Amino acid sequence: MPDIDGLDRDIEWIRESLERIEYRLHEMEIGCGGRHREIDGELAALRVKAGLYGAAAGAAPAIVAVAAMFLR
């Protein structure tokens, strides 16, 4: 029966290895989720800045025109 004992040990080793791999993958998933939220927040901030810069660029000619009218 030494073959069966050896097989049992091999199966146990495989099971423990799979559990360790599963744990590592779970930890990686948690870490990636945090990084994705951080990246999403940074992208949202960039979109707001881009919108503000676009609004300022669009309003600049009108501001210059109004200033020119008052300065005449």
Side-chain angles (χ1 to χ4, degrees):
M1 297 265 199
D3 290 339
I4 292 176
D5 290 336
L7 187 58
D8 286 342
R9 282 194 303 268
D10 289 345
I11 290 171
E12 183 64 22
W13 180 84
I14 291 169
R15 186 185 62 75
E16 290 171 357
S17 296
L18 289 174
E19 287 175 355
R20 285 193 299 272
I21 292 169
E22 182 180 14
Y23 175 78
R24 288 180 184 164
L25 288 174
H26 180 70
E27 292 297 313
M28 288 172 60
E29 181 181 2
I30 290 171
C32 289
R35 284 192 292 269
H36 281 288
R37 282 189 293 279
E38 183 180 321
I39 290 169
D40 287 345
E42 290 175 4
L43 284 174
L46 286 174
R47 286 186 187 113
V48 169
K49 285 182 185 177
L52 291 175
Y53 289 140
I63 293 170
V64 170
V66 169
M69 282 181 16
F70 284 121
L71 292 175
R72 285 187 184 191

